[in-house]
Short mmCIF file of all heavy atoms in Angstrom, two decimals:
data_model
loop_
_atom_site.label_atom_id
_atom_site.label_comp_id
_atom_site.label_asym_id
_atom_site.label_seq_id
_atom_site.Cartn_x
_atom_site.Cartn_y
_atom_site.Cartn_z
N HIS B 390 2.08 -3.95 -14.87
CA HIS B 390 2.46 -2.61 -15.26
C HIS B 390 3.95 -2.44 -15.05
O HIS B 390 4.52 -3.07 -14.14
CB HIS B 390 1.65 -1.52 -14.57
CG HIS B 390 1.89 -1.43 -13.09
ND1 HIS B 390 1.21 -2.17 -12.19
CD2 HIS B 390 2.74 -0.65 -12.39
CE1 HIS B 390 1.64 -1.86 -10.96
NE2 HIS B 390 2.56 -0.94 -11.06
N ALA B 391 4.56 -1.64 -15.86
CA ALA B 391 6.03 -1.59 -15.84
C ALA B 391 6.51 -0.27 -16.39
O ALA B 391 5.78 0.43 -17.11
CB ALA B 391 6.62 -2.71 -16.67
N VAL B 392 7.74 0.08 -16.03
CA VAL B 392 8.37 1.24 -16.63
C VAL B 392 9.28 0.72 -17.72
O VAL B 392 10.14 -0.11 -17.47
CB VAL B 392 9.19 2.02 -15.59
CG1 VAL B 392 9.99 3.13 -16.26
CG2 VAL B 392 8.30 2.58 -14.52
N SER B 393 9.07 1.22 -18.93
CA SER B 393 9.94 0.82 -20.04
C SER B 393 10.84 1.99 -20.42
O SER B 393 10.38 3.06 -20.77
CB SER B 393 9.12 0.39 -21.21
OG SER B 393 9.99 0.11 -22.32
N THR B 394 12.13 1.74 -20.32
CA THR B 394 13.09 2.75 -20.75
C THR B 394 13.86 2.27 -21.94
O THR B 394 14.79 2.91 -22.41
CB THR B 394 14.07 3.10 -19.63
OG1 THR B 394 14.61 1.87 -19.09
CG2 THR B 394 13.38 3.83 -18.48
N ASP B 395 13.46 1.10 -22.42
CA ASP B 395 14.13 0.51 -23.56
C ASP B 395 13.41 0.88 -24.83
O ASP B 395 12.24 0.53 -25.02
CB ASP B 395 14.18 -1.01 -23.39
CG ASP B 395 14.68 -1.69 -24.66
OD1 ASP B 395 15.69 -1.22 -25.19
OD2 ASP B 395 14.06 -2.68 -25.09
N CYS B 396 14.07 1.64 -25.69
CA CYS B 396 13.37 2.15 -26.87
C CYS B 396 13.59 1.29 -28.11
O CYS B 396 13.27 1.69 -29.22
CB CYS B 396 13.79 3.59 -27.14
SG CYS B 396 13.34 4.70 -25.81
N SER B 397 14.09 0.09 -27.93
CA SER B 397 14.38 -0.72 -29.12
C SER B 397 13.12 -1.34 -29.70
O SER B 397 13.03 -1.54 -30.91
CB SER B 397 15.42 -1.81 -28.78
OG SER B 397 14.93 -2.63 -27.74
N SER B 398 12.14 -1.62 -28.85
CA SER B 398 10.92 -2.22 -29.39
C SER B 398 9.79 -1.22 -29.51
O SER B 398 8.82 -1.43 -30.24
CB SER B 398 10.49 -3.40 -28.54
OG SER B 398 10.25 -2.99 -27.21
N PHE B 399 9.91 -0.12 -28.77
CA PHE B 399 8.92 0.95 -28.86
C PHE B 399 9.68 2.26 -28.69
O PHE B 399 10.52 2.37 -27.80
CB PHE B 399 7.85 0.78 -27.75
CG PHE B 399 6.73 1.78 -27.80
CD1 PHE B 399 5.72 1.67 -28.77
CD2 PHE B 399 6.71 2.86 -26.92
CE1 PHE B 399 4.72 2.59 -28.82
CE2 PHE B 399 5.68 3.77 -26.98
CZ PHE B 399 4.70 3.64 -27.93
N PRO B 400 9.40 3.25 -29.54
CA PRO B 400 10.31 4.39 -29.63
C PRO B 400 10.27 5.39 -28.50
O PRO B 400 11.02 6.38 -28.53
CB PRO B 400 9.91 5.06 -30.96
CG PRO B 400 8.52 4.64 -31.17
CD PRO B 400 8.36 3.28 -30.57
N HIS B 401 9.43 5.16 -27.51
CA HIS B 401 9.36 6.13 -26.39
C HIS B 401 9.50 5.40 -25.07
O HIS B 401 9.01 4.30 -24.92
CB HIS B 401 8.05 6.89 -26.39
CG HIS B 401 7.66 7.50 -27.69
ND1 HIS B 401 8.26 8.64 -28.17
CD2 HIS B 401 6.77 7.09 -28.63
CE1 HIS B 401 7.73 8.93 -29.36
NE2 HIS B 401 6.84 8.00 -29.68
N GLU B 402 10.09 6.09 -24.13
CA GLU B 402 10.00 5.61 -22.73
C GLU B 402 8.53 5.72 -22.33
O GLU B 402 7.82 6.63 -22.77
CB GLU B 402 10.88 6.44 -21.81
CG GLU B 402 12.35 6.29 -22.13
CD GLU B 402 13.24 6.96 -21.09
OE1 GLU B 402 12.70 7.40 -20.04
OE2 GLU B 402 14.43 7.06 -21.35
N CYS B 403 8.09 4.80 -21.52
CA CYS B 403 6.66 4.81 -21.22
C CYS B 403 6.35 4.00 -19.96
O CYS B 403 7.20 3.28 -19.43
CB CYS B 403 5.87 4.19 -22.39
SG CYS B 403 6.32 2.48 -22.75
N VAL B 404 5.10 4.14 -19.53
CA VAL B 404 4.55 3.19 -18.57
C VAL B 404 3.76 2.19 -19.40
O VAL B 404 2.87 2.55 -20.17
CB VAL B 404 3.64 3.85 -17.56
CG1 VAL B 404 2.90 2.81 -16.72
CG2 VAL B 404 4.44 4.78 -16.65
N PHE B 405 4.14 0.94 -19.29
CA PHE B 405 3.53 -0.14 -20.07
C PHE B 405 2.51 -0.84 -19.16
O PHE B 405 2.78 -1.13 -18.01
CB PHE B 405 4.61 -1.10 -20.50
CG PHE B 405 4.11 -2.33 -21.18
CD1 PHE B 405 3.88 -2.32 -22.56
CD2 PHE B 405 3.86 -3.51 -20.49
CE1 PHE B 405 3.41 -3.44 -23.20
CE2 PHE B 405 3.39 -4.62 -21.14
CZ PHE B 405 3.16 -4.60 -22.50
N VAL B 406 1.33 -1.07 -19.71
CA VAL B 406 0.28 -1.72 -18.94
C VAL B 406 -0.29 -2.86 -19.78
O VAL B 406 -0.69 -2.66 -20.94
CB VAL B 406 -0.85 -0.73 -18.59
CG1 VAL B 406 -1.95 -1.41 -17.77
CG2 VAL B 406 -0.32 0.46 -17.84
N LEU B 407 -0.29 -4.05 -19.23
CA LEU B 407 -0.88 -5.21 -19.92
C LEU B 407 -2.25 -5.48 -19.28
O LEU B 407 -2.36 -5.67 -18.07
CB LEU B 407 0.04 -6.41 -19.75
CG LEU B 407 -0.35 -7.69 -20.52
CD1 LEU B 407 -0.27 -7.44 -22.01
CD2 LEU B 407 0.58 -8.83 -20.11
N VAL B 408 -3.28 -5.48 -20.12
CA VAL B 408 -4.64 -5.55 -19.63
C VAL B 408 -5.32 -6.83 -20.10
O VAL B 408 -5.21 -7.21 -21.27
CB VAL B 408 -5.46 -4.34 -20.12
CG1 VAL B 408 -6.91 -4.45 -19.67
CG2 VAL B 408 -4.85 -3.05 -19.60
N ASP B 409 -5.98 -7.48 -19.18
CA ASP B 409 -6.77 -8.67 -19.51
C ASP B 409 -8.15 -8.19 -19.93
O ASP B 409 -8.95 -7.77 -19.12
CB ASP B 409 -6.84 -9.53 -18.26
CG ASP B 409 -7.65 -10.82 -18.50
OD1 ASP B 409 -8.31 -10.91 -19.56
OD2 ASP B 409 -7.61 -11.69 -17.63
N CYS B 410 -8.39 -8.26 -21.24
CA CYS B 410 -9.64 -7.70 -21.77
C CYS B 410 -10.87 -8.40 -21.23
O CYS B 410 -11.94 -7.81 -21.11
CB CYS B 410 -9.65 -7.79 -23.29
SG CYS B 410 -8.47 -6.67 -24.01
N SER B 411 -10.71 -9.67 -20.89
CA SER B 411 -11.87 -10.41 -20.39
C SER B 411 -12.34 -9.88 -19.05
O SER B 411 -13.43 -10.13 -18.61
CB SER B 411 -11.55 -11.89 -20.29
OG SER B 411 -10.61 -12.12 -19.26
N ARG B 412 -11.44 -9.14 -18.41
CA ARG B 412 -11.80 -8.63 -17.08
C ARG B 412 -11.95 -7.12 -17.08
O ARG B 412 -12.11 -6.50 -16.03
CB ARG B 412 -10.73 -9.01 -16.08
CG ARG B 412 -10.46 -10.51 -16.06
CD ARG B 412 -9.63 -10.89 -14.90
NE ARG B 412 -10.32 -10.62 -13.67
CZ ARG B 412 -9.75 -10.75 -12.48
NH1 ARG B 412 -8.51 -11.11 -12.37
NH2 ARG B 412 -10.44 -10.49 -11.38
N SER B 413 -11.84 -6.49 -18.23
CA SER B 413 -11.97 -5.04 -18.27
C SER B 413 -13.15 -4.64 -19.09
O SER B 413 -13.71 -5.42 -19.84
CB SER B 413 -10.69 -4.43 -18.85
OG SER B 413 -10.79 -4.38 -20.26
N ALA B 414 -13.54 -3.40 -18.96
CA ALA B 414 -14.68 -2.89 -19.69
C ALA B 414 -14.25 -2.23 -21.00
O ALA B 414 -15.06 -1.53 -21.62
CB ALA B 414 -15.44 -1.88 -18.80
N LEU B 415 -13.04 -2.45 -21.41
CA LEU B 415 -12.56 -1.83 -22.63
C LEU B 415 -13.40 -2.30 -23.82
O LEU B 415 -13.71 -3.46 -23.94
CB LEU B 415 -11.11 -2.21 -22.92
CG LEU B 415 -10.03 -1.53 -22.08
CD1 LEU B 415 -8.68 -2.08 -22.51
CD2 LEU B 415 -10.08 -0.05 -22.27
N GLU B 416 -13.75 -1.37 -24.66
CA GLU B 416 -14.45 -1.73 -25.90
C GLU B 416 -13.44 -1.72 -27.03
O GLU B 416 -12.88 -0.69 -27.38
CB GLU B 416 -15.57 -0.73 -26.18
CG GLU B 416 -16.70 -0.83 -25.20
CD GLU B 416 -17.79 0.17 -25.53
OE1 GLU B 416 -18.05 0.40 -26.72
OE2 GLU B 416 -18.36 0.73 -24.58
N LEU B 417 -13.24 -2.88 -27.63
CA LEU B 417 -12.27 -2.95 -28.71
C LEU B 417 -12.99 -3.08 -30.04
O LEU B 417 -13.92 -3.84 -30.19
CB LEU B 417 -11.36 -4.15 -28.48
CG LEU B 417 -10.50 -4.06 -27.22
CD1 LEU B 417 -9.71 -5.33 -27.01
CD2 LEU B 417 -9.59 -2.86 -27.26
N GLU B 418 -12.49 -2.31 -31.00
CA GLU B 418 -13.14 -2.24 -32.29
C GLU B 418 -12.89 -3.51 -33.10
O GLU B 418 -13.77 -4.20 -33.55
CB GLU B 418 -12.62 -1.03 -33.05
CG GLU B 418 -13.70 -0.15 -33.62
CD GLU B 418 -13.11 1.20 -33.95
OE1 GLU B 418 -11.95 1.24 -34.41
OE2 GLU B 418 -13.80 2.20 -33.76
N ASP B 419 -11.61 -3.76 -33.32
CA ASP B 419 -11.29 -5.00 -33.99
C ASP B 419 -10.15 -5.63 -33.22
O ASP B 419 -9.53 -5.00 -32.39
CB ASP B 419 -10.91 -4.79 -35.46
CG ASP B 419 -9.76 -3.81 -35.57
OD1 ASP B 419 -8.71 -4.07 -35.02
OD2 ASP B 419 -9.95 -2.77 -36.24
#
Side-chain angles (χ1 to χ4, degrees):
Chain B
H390 68 273
V392 173
S393 175
T394 50
D395 171 45
C396 296
S397 59
S398 58
F399 184 75
H401 309 284
E402 295 187 9
C403 61
V404 171
F405 175 87
V406 181
L407 185 64
V408 176
D409 181 349
C410 290
S411 68
R412 307 191 63 187
S413 86
L415 285 179
E416 291 180 37
L417 297 175
E418 231 162 36
D419 56 58

